[in-house]
């Protein structure tokens, strides 16, 4: 299992770079950032500095969208970074959440998402692509490698992911829900004639090492609110009794609204509707042993990467314990079984 660290690009940018360097030091393979250019600093600028001050980690947005970023510019950014620092970039993409909603915009359609994935991937891999009636290719790009992972929750988005995604990003760590979603993506890949084993499955959630459960829950409760935004869209489209697991839909019944100015923040003041049970199910909390146990479950159902959100007050300690205990434990078990 690989490990990623998900950062917010809050000022100062040097702090984001510092955490990225710590993540690499402690054995994380990926450094991801939120991509919401109004709420936080512009991440594409910061990626260059992270890559300059690290040696191996891959960097990318978690996640970008086709609405606020021109697709050809996105591809050009990552192809350029690949030329500068080696093929060390990756793109996570979805229909759009905070980056579009904060400007009163709407998520893109699945058709637009599908097309954007194709355009970004082809250009980002130094290949030609048809775009707006023209054949485009970066004449300066050679040998660039760029995977595009798709963030999804609803049935149709999961189907799209299985059909075209290099990877699947699931932003919650509930084992039962993850099992259902991974199967849905794999089934869609098979129906599309793809080998589902070629898709990388990534589960993302807040991770907090500690023993004060109430404090940890309060620090991570924001995540249930963030997930609730996507679930509310799903319920609006499919209803609460559709094909989506009830464990995912039931908890938003008490949801009354969402303020994106508090998006992804531990002090989010409008997520009281998220019960402790959901925080425990969606996140990784507790001692190193607690984390290892849940990560073993996730790996057993086909998860290849765990990406941990660091939006809480215990960033360095959580990275340290992962680097010294959790990551070695998961890797040692693989070695012992092989």
């Amino acid at each position: 299992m690989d490990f990623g660290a998900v950062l917010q690009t809050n000022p100062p940018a040097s702090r984001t770079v510092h955490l990225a360097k710590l993540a690499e030091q402690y054995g994380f393979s990926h450094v991801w950032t939120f991509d919401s250019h109004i709420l936080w600093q512009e991440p594409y600028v910061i990626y260059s500095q992270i890559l300059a001050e690290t040696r191996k980690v891959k960097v990318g947005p978690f996640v970008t969208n086709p609405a606020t970023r021109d697709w050809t510019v996105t591809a050009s950014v990552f192809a350029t970074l690949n030329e500068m620092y080696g093929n060390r970039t990756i793109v996570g993409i979805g229909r759009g959440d905070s980056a579009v909603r904060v400007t009163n915009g709407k998520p893109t359609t699945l058709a637009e998402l599908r097309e954007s994935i194709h355009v970004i991937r082809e250009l980002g891999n130094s290949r030609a692509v048809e775009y707006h009636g023209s054949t485009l290719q970066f004449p300066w790009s050679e040998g660039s490698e760029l995977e595009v992972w798709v963030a999804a929750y609803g049935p149709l988005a999961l189907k799209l992911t299985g059909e075209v995604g290099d990877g699947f990003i699931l932003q919650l760590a509930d084992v039962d829900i993850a099992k259902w979603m991974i199967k849905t993506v794999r089934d869609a890949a098979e129906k599309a004639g793809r080998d589902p084993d070629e898709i990388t499955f990534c589960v993302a959630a807040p991770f907090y090492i500690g023993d004060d459960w109430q404090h940890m829950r309060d620090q991570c409760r924001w995540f249930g609110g963030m997930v609730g935004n996507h679930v509310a869209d799903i319920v609006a489209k499919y209803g609460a009794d559709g094909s989506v697991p009830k464990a995912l839909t039931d908890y938003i019944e008490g949801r009354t609204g969402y303020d994106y100015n508090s998006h992804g923040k531990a002090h989010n003041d409008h997520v009281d509707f998220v019960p402790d049970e959901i925080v425990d199910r969606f996140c990784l909390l507790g001692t190193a042993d607690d984390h290892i146990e849940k990560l073993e479950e996730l790996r057993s159902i086909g998860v290849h990467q765990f990406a941990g959100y660091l939006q809480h007050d215990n960033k360095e300690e959580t990275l340290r314990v992962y680097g010294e205990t959790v990551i070695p434990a998961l890797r040692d078990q693989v070695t012992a079984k092989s």
Side-chain angles (χ1 to χ4, degrees):
M1 180 180 279
D2 288 333
F3 293 85
V6 186
L7 310 175
Q8 278 180 350
T9 52
N10 294 303
S14 58
R15 169 74 167 149
T16 304
V17 176
H18 167 70
L19 290 170
K21 292 168 67 176
L22 275 184
E24 178 176 72
Q25 175 186 326
Y26 285 128
F28 289 76
S29 61
H30 290 67
V31 171
W32 305 92
T33 74
F34 284 53
D35 180 12
S36 197
H37 60 289
I38 291 176
L39 295 177
W40 303 291
Q41 290 181 316
E42 171 54 50
Y44 287 13
V45 176
I46 297 173
Y47 292 158
S48 189
Q49 192 66 25
I50 291 174
L51 288 164
E53 297 195 28
T54 56
R55 295 185 303 110
K56 295 181 179 180
V57 291
K58 288 191 173 184
V59 303
F62 211 82
V63 297
T64 192
N65 71 85
T68 59
R69 304 273 188 191
D70 180 273
W71 310 347
T72 62
V73 175
T74 294
S76 182
V77 165
F78 292 103
T80 299
L81 291 173
N82 282 343
E83 189 280 324
M84 293 173 68
Y85 301 105
N87 289 316
R88 293 173 53 202
T89 66
I90 188 167
V91 169
I93 194 167
R95 293 175 56 217
D97 184 33
S98 62
V100 294
R101 295 185 196 269
V102 77
T103 60
N104 292 322
K106 294 181 179 180
T108 62
T109 65
L110 288 175
E112 290 172 313
L113 176 60
R114 182 188 296 268
E115 186 180 358
S116 73
I117 291 167
H118 176 66
V119 170
I120 292 168
R121 181 164 49 208
E122 294 306 294
L123 290 174
N125 283 277
S126 304
R127 297 191 291 261
V129 68
E130 294 297 314
Y131 181 68
H132 289 177
S134 299
T135 300
L136 303 181
Q137 186 170 9
F138 298 141
W140 46 266
S141 178
E142 182 177 349
S144 177
E145 297 177 5
L146 184 69
E147 289 192 356
V148 181
W149 294 9
V150 186
Y153 289 105
L156 291 180
L158 293 171
K159 178 176 179 289
L160 179 150
T161 303
E163 292 170 347
V164 303
D166 295 310
F168 167 46
I169 295 172
L170 171 58
Q171 291 165 304
L172 58 84
D174 181 282
V175 176
D176 292 334
I177 295 173
K179 186 184 301 183
W180 175 81
M181 291 194 173
I182 288 172
K183 182 180 185 303
T184 302
V185 171
R186 290 182 64 90
D187 288 348
E190 288 183 346
K191 289 180 180 178
R194 300 184 66 198
D195 180 357
D197 290 337
E198 294 181 355
I199 301 172
T200 302
F201 292 93
C202 173
V203 160
F207 64 142
Y208 194 120
I209 294 287
D211 54 17
D212 184 340
W213 279 86
Q214 195 55 53
H215 180 74
M216 291 188 292
R217 287 166 177 152
D218 289 342
Q219 285 285 301
C220 298
R221 199 175 306 276
W222 65 267
F223 185 67
M226 186 186 83
V227 173
N229 297 325
H230 302 286
V231 176
D233 287 344
I234 293 170
V235 170
K237 182 169 185 176
Y238 299 100
D241 298 322
S243 59
V244 180
K246 290 186 70 63
L248 185 59
T249 60
D250 284 354
Y251 85 96
I252 67 163
E253 291 180 357
R255 180 180 182 271
T256 58
Y258 194 81
D259 179 3
Y260 276 90
N261 290 311
S262 299
H263 186 63
K265 297 182 183 298
H267 63 263
N268 192 319
D269 59 1
H270 51 279
V271 292
D272 291 344
F273 71 93
V274 181
D276 288 349
E277 177 191 3
I278 287 294
V279 180
D280 294 351
R281 292 181 64 172
F282 283 13
C283 304
L284 270 75
L285 311 175
T287 65
D289 287 341
D290 293 325
H291 287 243
I292 291 168
E293 180 180 358
K294 190 163 186 177
L295 288 166
E296 287 174 342
E297 288 187 80
L298 290 168
R299 185 174 61 184
S300 73
I301 63 170
V303 174
H304 302 113
Q305 181 179 144
F306 170 69
Y309 287 91
L310 275 176
Q311 284 67 59
H312 54 64
D313 61 4
N314 199 33
K315 297 177 178 64
E316 279 87 353
E317 178 66 5
T318 295
L319 287 174
R320 182 190 69 79
V321 174
Y322 260 68
E324 294 179 0
T325 305
V326 177
I327 293 176
L330 270 294
R331 289 182 178 161
D332 287 348
Q333 289 167 14
V334 171
T335 302
K337 292 176 182 177
S338 61

